[in-house]
Coordinates of all heavy atoms in Angstrom, one line a residue:
M1 N -11.8 -11.6 4.7 CA -11.2 -11.4 6.0 C -9.7 -11.6 5.9 O -8.9 -10.9 6.6 CB -11.8 -12.4 7.0 CG -11.3 -12.1 8.4 SD -11.8 -10.5 9.0 CE -11.4 -10.7 10.7
Q2 N -9.2 -12.4 4.9 CA -7.8 -12.6 4.8 C -7.1 -11.3 4.4 O -6.0 -11.0 4.8 CB -7.5 -13.7 3.7 CG -7.7 -15.1 4.3 CD -7.4 -16.1 3.2 OE1 -7.7 -15.8 2.0 NE2 -6.9 -17.2 3.6
L3 N -7.7 -10.5 3.5 CA -7.1 -9.2 3.1 C -7.0 -8.3 4.2 O -6.0 -7.6 4.4 CB -7.9 -8.6 1.9 CG -7.4 -7.3 1.3 CD1 -5.9 -7.5 0.9 CD2 -8.2 -6.9 0.2
R4 N -8.0 -8.2 5.0 CA -8.0 -7.3 6.2 C -6.9 -7.8 7.2 O -6.2 -6.9 7.7 CB -9.4 -7.4 6.9 CG -9.6 -6.3 7.9 CD -11.0 -6.4 8.4 NE -12.0 -6.1 7.4 CZ -12.5 -4.9 7.1 NH1 -12.1 -3.9 7.7 NH2 -13.3 -4.8 6.1
E5 N -6.7 -9.0 7.4 CA -5.7 -9.5 8.3 C -4.3 -9.2 7.7 O -3.4 -8.7 8.4 CB -5.8 -11.0 8.5 CG -7.0 -11.4 9.3 CD -7.2 -12.9 9.4 OE1 -6.5 -13.7 8.7 OE2 -8.2 -13.3 10.0
K6 N -4.1 -9.4 6.4 CA -2.9 -9.0 5.7 C -2.6 -7.5 5.8 O -1.5 -7.1 6.1 CB -2.9 -9.5 4.3 CG -1.7 -9.2 3.5 CD -1.9 -9.7 2.0 CE -0.6 -9.3 1.2 NZ -0.8 -9.8 -0.2
T7 N -3.6 -6.7 5.6 CA -3.4 -5.3 5.7 C -3.1 -4.8 7.1 O -2.2 -4.0 7.4 CB -4.7 -4.6 5.2 OG1 -5.0 -5.0 3.9 CG2 -4.6 -3.0 5.3
A8 N -3.8 -5.4 8.1 CA -3.5 -5.1 9.5 C -2.1 -5.4 9.9 O -1.4 -4.6 10.6 CB -4.5 -5.8 10.4
K9 N -1.6 -6.6 9.4 CA -0.2 -7.0 9.7 C 0.8 -6.0 9.1 O 1.7 -5.5 9.7 CB 0.0 -8.4 9.2 CG 1.4 -8.9 9.5 CD 1.6 -10.3 9.0 CE 3.1 -10.7 9.4 NZ 3.5 -11.8 8.7
A10 N 0.5 -5.6 7.8 CA 1.4 -4.7 7.1 C 1.4 -3.3 7.8 O 2.5 -2.7 8.0 CB 1.0 -4.6 5.7
W11 N 0.3 -2.8 8.2 CA 0.2 -1.5 8.8 C 0.9 -1.6 10.2 O 1.5 -0.6 10.6 CB -1.3 -1.1 9.0 CG -1.9 -0.6 7.7 CD1 -1.3 -0.6 6.4 CD2 -3.2 -0.1 7.5 NE1 -2.2 -0.2 5.5 CE2 -3.4 0.2 6.2 CE3 -4.3 0.1 8.4 CZ2 -4.6 0.7 5.7 CZ3 -5.4 0.6 7.9 CH2 -5.6 0.9 6.5
S12 N 0.7 -2.7 10.9 CA 1.4 -2.8 12.2 C 2.9 -2.7 12.0 O 3.6 -2.0 12.8 CB 1.0 -4.1 12.8 OG -0.3 -4.2 13.2
E13 N 3.4 -3.4 11.0 CA 4.9 -3.3 10.8 C 5.3 -2.0 10.3 O 6.3 -1.5 10.8 CB 5.2 -4.4 9.8 CG 5.0 -5.8 10.3 CD 5.2 -6.9 9.2 OE1 5.4 -6.6 8.1 OE2 5.0 -8.1 9.6
L14 N 4.6 -1.3 9.4 CA 4.9 0.0 8.9 C 4.9 1.1 10.0 O 5.7 2.0 10.0 CB 4.0 0.4 7.8 CG 4.2 -0.2 6.5 CD1 3.1 0.1 5.5 CD2 5.5 0.2 5.9
N15 N 3.9 1.0 10.9 CA 3.7 2.0 11.9 C 4.3 1.7 13.3 O 4.2 2.5 14.2 CB 2.2 2.3 12.0 CG 1.8 2.9 10.7 OD1 2.1 4.1 10.3 ND2 1.0 2.2 9.9
H16 N 4.8 0.5 13.4 CA 5.4 0.0 14.7 C 4.4 0.1 15.9 O 4.7 0.5 17.0 CB 6.6 0.8 15.0 CG 7.6 0.8 13.9 ND1 8.3 -0.3 13.6 CD2 8.0 1.8 13.0 CE1 9.1 0.0 12.5 NE2 8.9 1.2 12.2
V17 N 3.1 -0.2 15.6 CA 2.0 -0.2 16.6 C 1.2 -1.5 16.3 O 1.1 -1.9 15.2 CB 1.2 1.0 16.6 CG1 2.0 2.2 17.0 CG2 0.5 1.3 15.3
P18 N 0.5 -2.0 17.3 CA -0.4 -3.1 17.1 C -1.7 -2.7 16.4 O -2.4 -1.9 17.0 CB -0.6 -3.7 18.5 CG -0.4 -2.6 19.4 CD 0.7 -1.7 18.7
I19 N -1.9 -3.2 15.2 CA -3.2 -2.9 14.5 C -3.8 -4.2 14.2 O -3.2 -5.1 13.5 CB -2.9 -2.1 13.2 CG1 -2.3 -0.7 13.6 CG2 -4.2 -1.9 12.5 CD1 -1.9 0.1 12.4
L20 N -5.0 -4.4 14.7 CA -5.8 -5.6 14.5 C -6.7 -5.5 13.3 O -7.1 -4.3 12.9 CB -6.6 -6.0 15.7 CG -5.8 -6.2 17.0 CD1 -6.7 -6.4 18.2 CD2 -4.8 -7.3 16.8
P21 N -7.2 -6.6 12.7 CA -8.1 -6.5 11.5 C -9.3 -5.6 11.8 O -9.8 -4.8 11.0 CB -8.5 -7.9 11.2 CG -7.3 -8.7 11.7 CD -6.8 -7.9 12.9
E22 N -9.9 -5.7 13.0 CA -11.1 -4.9 13.3 C -10.8 -3.4 13.5 O -11.7 -2.6 13.6 CB -11.8 -5.5 14.6 CG -10.9 -5.6 15.8 CD -10.2 -6.9 16.0 OE1 -10.0 -7.6 15.0 OE2 -9.9 -7.2 17.1
H23 N -9.5 -3.1 13.6 CA -9.1 -1.7 13.7 C -9.1 -0.9 12.4 O -9.0 0.3 12.4 CB -7.7 -1.5 14.4 CG -7.7 -2.0 15.8 ND1 -6.5 -2.3 16.4 CD2 -8.6 -2.2 16.7 CE1 -6.7 -2.6 17.6 NE2 -8.0 -2.6 17.8
I24 N -9.1 -1.6 11.3 CA -8.9 -0.9 10.0 C -10.2 -0.6 9.3 O -10.2 -0.3 8.1 CB -7.9 -1.7 9.1 CG1 -8.4 -3.1 8.8 CG2 -6.6 -1.7 9.8 CD1 -7.5 -3.8 7.7
N25 N -11.4 -0.7 9.9 CA -12.6 -0.2 9.3 C -12.6 1.3 9.3 O -12.4 1.9 10.3 CB -13.8 -0.7 10.2 CG -14.0 -2.2 10.2 OD1 -13.7 -2.8 9.2 ND2 -14.4 -2.7 11.3
C26 N -12.7 1.9 8.1 CA -12.5 3.3 8.0 C -13.2 3.8 6.7 O -13.0 3.2 5.7 CB -11.1 3.7 8.0 SG -10.8 5.5 8.0
L27 N -13.9 4.9 6.9 CA -14.6 5.5 5.7 C -13.8 6.6 5.1 O -14.1 7.3 4.2 CB -16.0 5.9 6.0 CG -16.9 4.8 6.5 CD1 -18.3 5.4 6.9 CD2 -17.1 3.8 5.3
G28 N -12.6 6.9 5.8 CA -11.8 8.0 5.3 C -11.9 9.3 6.1 O -12.9 9.5 6.8
C29 N -10.8 10.1 6.0 CA -10.8 11.4 6.8 C -11.9 12.3 6.4 O -12.4 13.1 7.2 CB -9.4 12.0 6.6 SG -8.1 11.2 7.4
R30 N -12.2 12.3 5.1 CA -13.2 13.3 4.6 C -14.6 12.9 4.7 O -15.5 13.6 4.3 CB -12.9 13.6 3.1 CG -11.6 14.4 3.0 CD -11.3 14.8 1.5 NE -10.1 15.4 1.3 CZ -9.8 16.7 1.5 NH1 -10.8 17.5 1.8 NH2 -8.6 17.1 1.3
A31 N -14.9 11.6 5.1 CA -16.2 11.1 5.2 C -16.7 11.0 6.7 O -15.9 10.8 7.6 CB -16.3 9.7 4.6
D32 N -18.0 11.2 6.9 CA -18.5 11.0 8.2 C -18.6 9.5 8.4 O -18.7 8.7 7.5 CB -20.0 11.5 8.3 CG -20.0 13.1 8.3 OD1 -19.0 13.7 8.7 OD2 -21.0 13.6 7.8
G33 N -18.5 9.1 9.7 CA -18.6 7.7 10.0 C -17.4 7.1 10.7 O -16.6 7.8 11.3
I34 N -17.2 5.8 10.5 CA -16.2 5.1 11.1 C -14.8 5.6 10.8 O -14.5 5.8 9.6 CB -16.3 3.6 10.8 CG1 -17.7 3.0 11.2 CG2 -15.2 2.8 11.4 CD1 -18.0 1.7 10.6
K35 N -14.0 5.7 11.8 CA -12.5 6.0 11.7 C -11.8 4.9 12.4 O -12.3 4.3 13.3 CB -12.2 7.3 12.3 CG -12.9 8.5 11.8 CD -12.5 9.0 10.4 CE -13.2 10.2 10.0 NZ -14.4 10.1 9.2
T36 N -10.6 4.6 11.9 CA -9.8 3.6 12.6 C -9.4 4.0 14.0 O -9.2 5.2 14.2 CB -8.6 3.2 11.8 OG1 -7.6 4.3 11.8 CG2 -8.9 2.8 10.3
V37 N -9.1 3.1 14.8 CA -8.5 3.4 16.1 C -7.2 4.1 15.9 O -6.8 5.0 16.6 CB -8.3 2.0 16.9 CG1 -7.6 2.3 18.2 CG2 -9.7 1.4 17.2
F38 N -6.4 3.6 14.9 CA -5.1 4.2 14.6 C -5.3 5.7 14.3 O -4.6 6.5 14.9 CB -4.5 3.5 13.5 CG -3.2 4.0 13.0 CD1 -2.1 3.9 13.8 CD2 -3.1 4.8 11.9 CE1 -0.8 4.4 13.4 CE2 -1.9 5.3 11.5 CZ -0.8 5.1 12.2
C39 N -6.2 6.1 13.5 CA -6.3 7.5 13.1 C -6.7 8.4 14.3 O -6.2 9.4 14.5 CB -7.3 7.6 12.0 SG -6.7 7.0 10.4
D40 N -7.7 7.9 15.0 CA -8.2 8.7 16.1 C -7.2 8.9 17.2 O -7.3 9.9 17.9 CB -9.5 8.1 16.7 CG -10.7 8.4 15.8 OD1 -10.6 9.3 14.9 OD2 -11.7 7.8 16.0
S41 N -6.3 8.0 17.5 CA -5.5 8.1 18.6 C -4.0 8.1 18.4 O -3.2 8.5 19.2 CB -5.9 7.1 19.7 OG -5.7 5.8 19.1
L42 N -3.5 7.5 17.2 CA -2.1 7.3 17.1 C -1.5 8.0 15.8 O -0.3 8.3 15.8 CB -1.8 5.8 17.0 CG -2.2 5.0 18.2 CD1 -2.0 3.5 17.9 CD2 -1.3 5.4 19.4
C43 N -2.3 8.4 14.8 CA -1.8 8.9 13.6 C -1.3 10.3 13.7 O -2.0 11.2 14.0 CB -2.9 8.8 12.5 SG -2.3 9.5 10.9
E44 N 0.0 10.5 13.5 CA 0.6 11.8 13.6 C 0.0 12.8 12.7 O -0.2 14.0 13.0 CB 2.1 11.8 13.3 CG 3.0 11.2 14.4 CD 4.4 11.2 14.0 OE1 5.0 12.3 13.7 OE2 5.0 10.1 13.9
I45 N -0.3 12.4 11.5 CA -0.9 13.2 10.5 C -2.3 13.7 10.9 O -2.6 14.9 10.8 CB -1.0 12.5 9.1 CG1 0.5 12.2 8.6 CG2 -1.7 13.3 8.1 CD1 0.5 11.3 7.4
R46 N -3.1 12.8 11.3 CA -4.5 13.1 11.8 C -4.4 14.1 13.0 O -5.2 15.1 13.1 CB -5.3 11.9 12.1 CG -6.7 12.1 12.6 CD -7.6 12.5 11.4 NE -8.9 12.7 11.8 CZ -9.7 13.7 11.4 NH1 -9.2 14.5 10.5 NH2 -10.9 13.8 11.9
Q47 N -3.6 13.8 13.9 CA -3.4 14.6 15.1 C -3.0 16.0 14.8 O -3.4 17.0 15.3 CB -2.5 14.0 16.1 CG -3.0 12.6 16.7 CD -4.4 12.8 17.3 OE1 -4.6 13.6 18.2 NE2 -5.3 11.9 16.9
C48 N -2.1 16.1 13.8 CA -1.6 17.4 13.4 C -2.7 18.2 12.8 O -2.9 19.4 13.1 CB -0.4 17.2 12.4 SG 0.2 18.8 11.7
A49 N -3.5 17.6 11.9 CA -4.6 18.3 11.3 C -5.6 18.8 12.3 O -6.1 19.9 12.3 CB -5.3 17.4 10.3
L50 N -5.9 17.9 13.3 CA -6.9 18.3 14.3 C -6.3 19.5 15.1 O -7.1 20.4 15.5 CB -7.2 17.1 15.2 CG -8.0 16.0 14.6 CD1 -8.0 14.8 15.6 CD2 -9.4 16.4 14.2
K51 N -5.0 19.4 15.4 CA -4.4 20.5 16.2 C -4.4 21.8 15.5 O -4.6 22.9 16.1 CB -3.0 20.1 16.5 CG -2.2 21.1 17.4 CD -0.8 20.6 17.6 CE 0.1 21.6 18.3 NZ 1.4 21.1 18.5
K52 N -4.3 21.8 14.1 CA -4.3 23.0 13.3 C -5.7 23.4 13.0 O -5.9 24.5 12.4 CB -3.5 22.8 12.1 CG -2.0 22.7 12.4 CD -1.2 22.5 11.1 CE 0.3 22.5 11.4 NZ 1.1 22.4 10.2
G53 N -6.7 22.6 13.3 CA -8.1 23.0 13.1 C -8.5 22.8 11.6 O -9.4 23.5 11.2
V54 N -7.9 21.9 10.9 CA -8.3 21.6 9.5 C -8.9 20.2 9.5 O -8.6 19.4 10.3 CB -7.1 21.7 8.5 CG1 -6.6 23.2 8.4 CG2 -6.0 20.8 8.9
E55 N -9.8 20.0 8.5 CA -10.5 18.7 8.5 C -9.5 17.6 8.1 O -9.5 16.6 8.8 CB -11.6 18.8 7.4 CG -12.4 17.6 7.3 CD -13.5 17.7 6.3 OE1 -13.8 18.8 5.8 OE2 -14.1 16.6 6.0
T56 N -8.6 17.8 7.2 CA -7.6 16.9 6.8 C -6.3 17.7 6.5 O -6.4 18.9 6.3 CB -7.9 16.0 5.6 OG1 -7.8 16.8 4.4 CG2 -9.3 15.4 5.7
C57 N -5.2 17.0 6.4 CA -4.0 17.7 6.0 C -4.0 18.3 4.6 O -3.3 19.2 4.3 CB -2.8 16.8 6.2 SG -2.8 15.3 5.2
G58 N -5.0 17.8 3.8 CA -5.2 18.3 2.5 C -5.7 19.8 2.5 O -5.6 20.5 1.6
D59 N -6.2 20.2 3.7 CA -6.7 21.5 3.8 C -5.7 22.5 4.5 O -5.9 23.7 4.6 CB -8.0 21.5 4.7 CG -9.1 20.7 4.1 OD1 -9.3 20.8 2.9 OD2 -9.8 20.0 4.8
C60 N -4.5 21.9 4.8 CA -3.5 22.7 5.5 C -2.6 23.5 4.5 O -2.2 23.0 3.4 CB -2.6 21.8 6.3 SG -1.3 22.6 7.2
E61 N -2.4 24.8 4.8 CA -1.6 25.6 3.9 C -0.1 25.2 3.8 O 0.6 25.5 2.9 CB -1.6 27.1 4.4 CG -3.0 27.7 4.3 CD -3.0 29.1 4.9 OE1 -1.9 29.7 5.2 OE2 -4.1 29.7 4.9
E62 N 0.3 24.4 4.8 CA 1.7 23.9 4.8 C 1.9 22.5 4.2 O 3.0 22.0 4.3 CB 2.2 23.9 6.3 CG 2.1 25.3 6.9 CD 2.4 25.3 8.4 OE1 3.0 24.3 8.9 OE2 2.0 26.2 9.1
L63 N 0.9 22.0 3.6 CA 0.9 20.6 3.1 C 2.1 20.3 2.3 O 2.8 19.3 2.5 CB -0.4 20.3 2.3 CG -0.4 18.9 1.6 CD1 -0.3 17.8 2.6 CD2 -1.6 18.8 0.7
E64 N 2.4 21.1 1.3 CA 3.5 20.7 0.3 C 4.9 20.8 0.9 O 5.8 20.2 0.4 CB 3.4 21.6 -0.9 CG 2.1 21.2 -1.7 CD 2.0 21.9 -3.0 OE1 3.0 22.0 -3.8 OE2 1.0 22.5 -3.3
K65 N 5.1 21.4 2.1 CA 6.4 21.5 2.7 C 6.4 20.8 4.1 O 7.3 20.9 4.9 CB 6.9 22.9 2.8 CG 6.0 23.8 3.6 CD 6.4 25.2 3.6 CE 5.4 26.0 4.3 NZ 5.6 27.4 4.3
C66 N 5.3 20.0 4.3 CA 5.1 19.4 5.6 C 6.1 18.2 5.9 O 6.0 17.2 5.1 CB 3.7 18.9 5.8 SG 3.3 18.1 7.3
P67 N 6.8 18.2 6.9 CA 7.7 17.1 7.2 C 6.9 15.8 7.7 O 7.3 14.7 7.5 CB 8.7 17.6 8.3 CG 7.9 18.7 8.9 CD 7.0 19.3 7.9
T68 N 5.8 16.1 8.3 CA 5.0 15.0 8.8 C 4.4 14.1 7.7 O 4.4 12.9 7.8 CB 3.8 15.5 9.7 OG1 4.4 16.3 10.7 CG2 3.0 14.4 10.3
V69 N 3.9 14.7 6.7 CA 3.3 13.9 5.6 C 4.3 13.8 4.4 O 4.0 13.1 3.4 CB 1.9 14.6 5.1 CG1 2.2 15.8 4.3 CG2 1.1 13.6 4.4
G70 N 5.4 14.5 4.4 CA 6.4 14.5 3.4 C 6.8 13.1 2.9 O 7.0 12.9 1.7
M71 N 7.0 12.2 3.8 CA 7.5 10.8 3.4 C 6.4 10.1 2.6 O 6.7 9.4 1.6 CB 7.8 10.0 4.7 CG 8.3 8.6 4.4 SD 8.9 7.8 5.9 CE 7.4 7.7 6.9
I72 N 5.2 10.3 2.9 CA 4.1 9.7 2.2 C 4.0 10.3 0.8 O 3.9 9.6 -0.2 CB 2.7 9.8 2.9 CG1 2.8 9.0 4.2 CG2 1.6 9.4 2.0 CD1 1.6 9.3 5.1
L73 N 4.1 11.6 0.7 CA 4.1 12.3 -0.6 C 5.3 11.9 -1.5 O 5.1 11.7 -2.7 CB 4.1 13.8 -0.4 CG 2.9 14.4 0.4 CD1 3.0 15.9 0.5 CD2 1.6 14.0 -0.3
A74 N 6.4 11.7 -0.9 CA 7.6 11.3 -1.6 C 7.5 9.9 -2.3 O 7.9 9.7 -3.4 CB 8.9 11.4 -0.8
D75 N 6.8 9.0 -1.5 CA 6.6 7.6 -2.0 C 5.4 7.5 -2.9 O 5.3 6.4 -3.5 CB 6.5 6.7 -0.8 CG 7.8 6.5 0.0 OD1 8.9 6.8 -0.6 OD2 7.8 6.2 1.1
N76 N 4.5 8.4 -2.9 CA 3.3 8.3 -3.6 C 2.9 9.6 -4.3 O 2.2 10.4 -3.7 CB 2.2 7.8 -2.7 CG 0.9 7.5 -3.4 OD1 0.7 7.8 -4.6 ND2 -0.1 7.0 -2.7
P77 N 3.4 9.9 -5.5 CA 3.1 11.2 -6.1 C 1.6 11.5 -6.3 O 1.2 12.7 -6.2 CB 3.7 11.0 -7.5 CG 4.7 9.9 -7.4 CD 4.2 9.0 -6.3
G78 N 0.8 10.5 -6.4 CA -0.7 10.8 -6.5 C -1.3 11.2 -5.2 O -2.4 11.7 -5.2
A79 N -0.6 11.0 -4.1 CA -1.2 11.3 -2.8 C -1.5 12.8 -2.6 O -2.5 13.2 -2.1 CB -0.3 10.8 -1.7
L80 N -0.6 13.7 -3.2 CA -0.8 15.1 -3.0 C -2.1 15.5 -3.7 O -2.9 16.3 -3.2 CB 0.4 15.9 -3.6 CG 0.3 17.4 -3.5 CD1 0.2 17.8 -2.1 CD2 1.5 18.0 -4.2
K81 N -2.3 15.0 -4.9 CA -3.6 15.3 -5.6 C -4.8 14.8 -4.9 O -5.8 15.5 -4.7 CB -3.5 14.6 -7.0 CG -4.8 14.9 -7.9 CD -4.6 14.3 -9.2 CE -5.9 14.5 -10.0 NZ -5.9 13.8 -11.3
N82 N -4.7 13.6 -4.3 CA -5.8 13.1 -3.5 C -6.1 13.9 -2.3 O -7.2 14.1 -1.9 CB -5.5 11.6 -3.1 CG -5.7 10.6 -4.2 OD1 -6.3 10.9 -5.2 ND2 -5.0 9.5 -4.1
L83 N -5.0 14.3 -1.6 CA -5.2 15.1 -0.4 C -5.8 16.5 -0.6 O -6.6 17.0 0.2 CB -3.8 15.3 0.3 CG -3.3 14.1 1.0 CD1 -1.8 14.3 1.4 CD2 -4.1 13.7 2.2
K84 N -5.5 17.0 -1.8 CA -6.1 18.3 -2.1 C -7.5 18.2 -2.5 O -8.2 19.2 -2.6 CB -5.2 19.0 -3.2 CG -3.9 19.5 -2.6 CD -3.2 20.3 -3.7 CE -1.9 20.9 -3.1 NZ -1.2 21.8 -4.0
G85 N -8.0 17.0 -2.8 CA -9.4 16.7 -3.1 C -9.8 17.2 -4.4 O -10.9 17.5 -4.8

């Protein structure tokens, strides 16, 4: 539970929204099942994918030039590979 609390606090600070430990249960965008409260209602990336009708931003043709996910890709080179599945 301590790791979940630490993660919730860090995500709250990074995203400037209140995220509680119970909000971070998630099986991921590509898996059926539990999604975080953050993803379903606040995540710009998830909302963009849903608006464009793709399962995840990894399925979007504009991924590599996307300003919404660009900051994440710049900070994490492995993220692009993961997103493309």
Side-chain angles (χ1 to χ4, degrees):
M1 188 63 169
Q2 284 181 325
L3 181 57
R4 192 174 299 268
E5 289 172 2
K6 181 179 176 181
T7 302
K9 182 179 180 196
W11 286 4
S12 292
E13 292 170 2
L14 284 170
N15 294 291
H16 308 289
V17 295
I19 298 174
L20 302 174
E22 58 269 22
H23 292 163
I24 61 173
N25 295 322
C26 184
L27 298 175
C29 291
R30 294 185 184 271
D32 290 334
I34 300 169
K35 304 286 187 265
T36 69
V37 171
F38 177 74
C39 290
D40 281 346
S41 60
L42 299 173
C43 178
E44 285 181 59
I45 295 169
R46 181 75 179 138
Q47 294 306 308
C48 180
L50 292 172
K51 183 178 173 183
K52 290 182 176 183
V54 295
E55 185 177 347
T56 75
C57 59
D59 299 320
C60 180
E61 294 178 6
E62 301 172 20
L63 173 62
E64 292 187 46
K65 58 184 177 188
C66 176
T68 305
V69 77
M71 183 173 60
I72 293 170
L73 298 178
D75 290 338
N76 184 352
L80 182 60
K81 183 179 177 184
N82 287 340
L83 287 170
K84 288 186 172 186

